Amino acid sequence: MELDRLYHFALLAQFAFAAITFFSLLFITAPYGRFGRLGWGPSVKALYGWIIMETPAVAMIFLWFITSNYNLVSIVMIVIWQSHYLRRSYHYPFTMKGRNKPFPIMLVVFAIIFNCMNGFVNGYHVFHMRSFDVEWLRSWQFIGGVFLFYTGYTINVQSDNILSKLKRGGDGSYVIPFGGMFRYVSSPHYLGEIIEWIGWALLTWSWAGLAFAVYTIANLAPRALSHHKWYRDNFPDYPSQRKALVPFVW
Ligand SMILES: NC(=O)c1ccc[n+]([C@@H]2O[C@H](COP(=O)([O-])OP(=O)(O)OC[C@H]3O[C@@H](n4cnc5c(N)ncnc54)[C@H](OP(=O)(O)O)[C@@H]3O)[C@@H](O)[C@H]2O)c1
């Protein structure tokens, strides 16, 4: 019963977090990567920052899973979740171009809090509150959600890989990315990530999944806009038909 109350509280907090994040990021670009700057306190190497801040997302879901009466549906769901987070936590940080750059500890702490909260609400809902029977695997929500999730996953991984292979100048200067969905938008890795979590919301048919999808949009849409503006300001030959985040639209 206590956990139920905590779940509802955390769920509301997540929607509130999304609103605060969105409006803050419209005015302050998160200070890491190309937007890294002084004045945000001590930092760690980005490589360690990413591993530390993403690990709670792996661990929380795993804990909820092993303490549940798991069945085939919950096994499929944990495989879907971890297919994203194991890569993000333990593979991506070693391949990213900016892995030796400083990453503010403040952002690491913020991300740990978010990932604990998000892992709590999603894991609690999927593995404890709701019991999915095997018929769920044949529902339109599950099939459509899995399709969306892995479409987004493919776009996200492909775009991350393109960025990790870009040849920079000797001074570490940035270049214009080409190929894959970069043909249409400046931040296809964010587009892929957003599609993934909309897929998760659909396949779990849950407020917890919806809260995560909304938060991902709130976090990544303003940053996509900042990247887009930065490319346009810094590269006079930047492809003019390329949009910020949504192909042909925005
Ligand atoms: N679910 C969420 O809320 C959430 C939040 C944040 C990130 N993510 C995911 O995490 C991944 C990384 O996100 P991010 O915000 O770190 O992305 P990013 O700022 O675009 O940076 C990604 C990596 O690519 C390098 N890079 C980017 N543009 C480049 C260019 N034009 N030339 C050369 N190198 C370039 C960056 O180097 P520098 O570090 O040197 O700039 C960095 O190593 C994405 O897949 C994203 O979807 C998810």
Side-chain angles (χ1 to χ4, degrees):
M1 189 61 188
E2 275 311 302
L3 279 177
D4 271 7
R5 282 176 59 184
L6 195 57
Y7 164 82
H8 285 105
F9 175 77
L11 191 58
L12 282 178
Q14 219 174 327
F15 280 109
F17 236 40
I20 294 166
T21 301
F22 181 74
F23 287 109
S24 311
L25 293 181
L26 285 181
F27 301 102
I28 308 162
T29 306
Y32 68 93
R34 92 185 63 191
F35 302 110
R37 51 203 185 269
L38 294 174
W40 291 85
S43 54
V44 286
K45 236 188 196 189
L47 169 71
Y48 304 131
W50 278 88
I51 295 173
I52 295 165
M53 71 188 178
E54 299 296 319
T55 291
V58 175
M60 286 295 282
I61 288 284
F62 184 68
L63 280 178
W64 282 127
F65 174 74
I66 57 168
T67 54
S68 70
N69 298 319
Y70 38 85
N71 62 9
L72 180 64
V73 185
S74 52
I75 292 171
V76 171
M77 287 192 178
I78 193 170
V79 167
I80 293 171
W81 177 279
Q82 300 294 29
S83 64
H84 174 92
Y85 270 111
L86 286 173
R87 173 186 168 272
R88 174 68 71 229
S89 313
Y90 309 118
H91 179 260
Y92 173 74
F94 292 94
T95 60
M96 60 188 280
K97 264 266 167 344
R99 60 185 172 277
N100 292 320
K101 281 190 162 178
F103 196 97
I105 290 176
M106 191 194 293
L107 292 188
V108 175
V109 171
F110 183 79
I112 289 173
I113 294 169
F114 174 78
N115 278 326
C116 286
M117 198 163 78
N118 193 42
F120 173 82
V121 291
N122 276 279
Y124 186 64
H125 179 94
V126 169
F127 301 121
H128 284 260
M129 264 178 90
R130 172 115 181 244
S131 69
F132 292 98
D133 67 45
V134 80
E135 279 305 302
W136 183 251
L137 300 179
R138 280 200 264 260
S139 66
W140 69 267
Q141 291 97 324
F142 182 81
I143 294 168
V146 169
F147 175 76
L148 276 182
F149 186 92
Y150 282 107
T151 300
Y153 180 86
T154 306
I155 295 171
N156 180 256
V157 173
Q158 181 198 46
S159 314
D160 279 347
N161 286 343
I162 289 173
L163 289 177
S164 74
K165 291 188 180 117
L166 287 177
K167 291 225 173 0
R168 294 184 174 190
D171 57 351
S173 53
Y174 293 97
V175 293
I176 302 177
F178 288 99
M181 293 292 286
F182 280 102
R183 195 168 159 201
Y184 304 104
V185 290
S186 298
S187 295
H189 46 339
Y190 297 162
L191 172 66
E193 181 103 21
I194 289 168
I195 295 173
E196 270 182 69
W197 299 115
I198 291 174
W200 174 261
L202 188 59
L203 76 93
T204 59
W205 202 241
S206 65
W207 284 104
L210 183 66
F212 187 17
V214 168
Y215 180 83
T216 305
I217 295 168
N219 193 16
L220 295 183
R223 190 167 172 86
L225 200 57
S226 303
H227 280 319
H228 191 61
K229 184 174 176 317
W230 185 92
Y231 279 122
R232 291 199 153 183
D233 289 348
N234 286 278
F235 294 101
D237 55 340
Y238 195 66
S240 57
Q241 80 294 348
R242 204 180 279 190
K243 302 289 184 190
L245 183 66
V246 184
F248 312 112
V249 180
W250 182 77

